[in-house]
Amino acid sequence: MAQRILVVEDEDALCTLLEYNLQAAGFEPIIVRDGDEALLHLREDVPALIILDWMLPGTSGIEICRQTRARAETRAVPIIMLTARGEEADRIRGLDTGADDYVTKPFSVSELIARVRANLRRSGAGTEVLQAGDIVMDLETHRVHRGEREIHLGPTEFRLLECLMRRPGRVYSREQLLDIVWGRDVYVEARTVDVHIGRLRKALNGKRDTDPLRTVRATGYAFDETYK
Ligand code: CA
């Protein structure tokens, strides 16, 4: 199945060029021409990567970038910003806001396609499987296995585990987990995180005494790579 690339760009000639070349490179391009439409689209569908113009009618590129990073579903989607020449300050702001890469207009299409591939590789998209110890998460089919056993997780526990497994060893505070898993715009108490970690533990461990989730006192949680 071709990976979907969302192109948010208001110049018709550039849209045509990108659509043609992305298709030729084996991707499925989705072209939207203004910022509001891009946000609506992202509510319905999570693409493999976003090519995002800076100056757009409707919601700006930087705001789309910010909202994409704030939502759990789209947090990990790589974003390549398109900027006009000389907008150095904008470029830095774009990277600060969470863009992964930027390309200055005018650009060579083959270079942009190469960047698309490089960013997809870096993000692990295309494989969509996380593995640590005896736990395997398939992000495409939403199936989780520990050893031979399939683990059934609720959507929140699934996102929690995904977040922790993407960076094994890294300690996340409850507040960081709330931002990443629940989203910044939602108000949830910090102890809710503990409740869901408890459920995740129960589902993952069953009767085993090896627990891959490490509680860091007064701080938060981490996925412990050395749990076996
Ligand atoms: Ca533009």
Side-chain angles (χ1 to χ4, degrees):
M1 209 176 74
Q3 290 176 298
R4 292 186 304 285
I5 309 292
L6 178 64
V7 178
V8 191
E9 170 60 65
D10 59 322
E11 281 173 49
D12 283 334
L14 199 47
C15 289
T16 309
L17 188 71
L18 288 177
E19 187 170 28
Y20 175 82
N21 284 281
L22 284 166
Q23 258 164 9
F27 297 107
E28 184 189 327
I30 298 155
I31 312 285
V32 302
R33 288 179 164 76
D34 78 70
D36 299 343
E37 202 187 323
L39 287 178
L40 285 176
H41 183 87
L42 286 166
R43 292 268 157 198
E44 304 288 317
D45 178 56
V46 177
L49 180 141
I50 305 170
I51 297 173
L52 183 59
D53 187 27
W54 186 263
M55 298 293 287
L56 290 165
T59 310
S60 71
I62 197 166
E63 181 56 22
I64 293 169
C65 200
R66 196 194 65 77
Q67 293 196 28
T68 303
R69 286 293 171 257
R71 279 183 60 227
E73 292 81 359
T74 53
R75 173 181 45 85
V77 177
I79 298 176
I80 300 177
M81 297 266 334
L82 301 180
T83 64
R85 195 177 285 282
E87 292 172 342
E88 189 70 33
D90 286 352
R91 195 176 303 157
I92 291 162
R93 261 172 69 211
L95 292 172
D96 278 352
T97 315
D100 297 275
D101 203 355
Y102 63 84
V103 171
T104 306
K105 291 180 185 177
F107 53 82
S108 98
V109 175
S110 58
E111 190 205 330
L112 179 63
I113 302 277
R115 298 277 192 101
V116 167
R117 291 196 202 284
N119 278 277
L120 285 172
R121 263 199 309 278
R122 215 177 296 150
S123 76
T127 54
E128 298 292 346
V129 172
L130 299 177
Q131 185 162 14
D134 59 355
I135 298 176
V136 179
M137 282 193 98
D138 186 322
L139 302 180
E140 256 166 27
T141 60
H142 268 237
R143 294 186 118 167
V144 180
H145 284 83
R146 181 162 185 185
E148 296 291 295
R149 188 166 66 98
E150 183 165 3
I151 310 279
H152 298 278
L153 297 178
T156 304
E157 285 72 37
F158 187 91
R159 290 203 299 269
L160 260 177
L161 183 62
E162 180 189 346
C163 171
L164 295 171
M165 278 185 71
R166 277 192 188 276
R167 296 272 179 85
R170 176 178 163 174
V171 179
Y172 287 90
S173 69
R174 290 174 179 78
E175 290 70 27
Q176 285 170 326
L177 291 171
L178 283 173
D179 278 355
I180 295 168
V181 174
W182 279 263
R184 265 179 214 169
D185 303 328
V186 183
Y187 180 76
V188 187
E189 281 182 65
R191 61 170 295 276
T192 306
V193 176
D194 303 336
V195 173
H196 286 276
I197 288 278
R199 284 186 198 157
L200 178 56
R201 269 204 173 110
K202 201 171 162 199
L204 276 180
N205 301 340
K207 291 185 169 58
R208 292 165 203 251
D209 53 8
T210 48
D211 183 3
L213 305 179
R214 185 158 64 95
T215 303
V216 184
R217 274 182 85 97
T219 309
Y221 297 99
F223 187 93
D224 185 0
E225 277 177 299
T226 62
Y227 65 91
K228 287 225 276 185

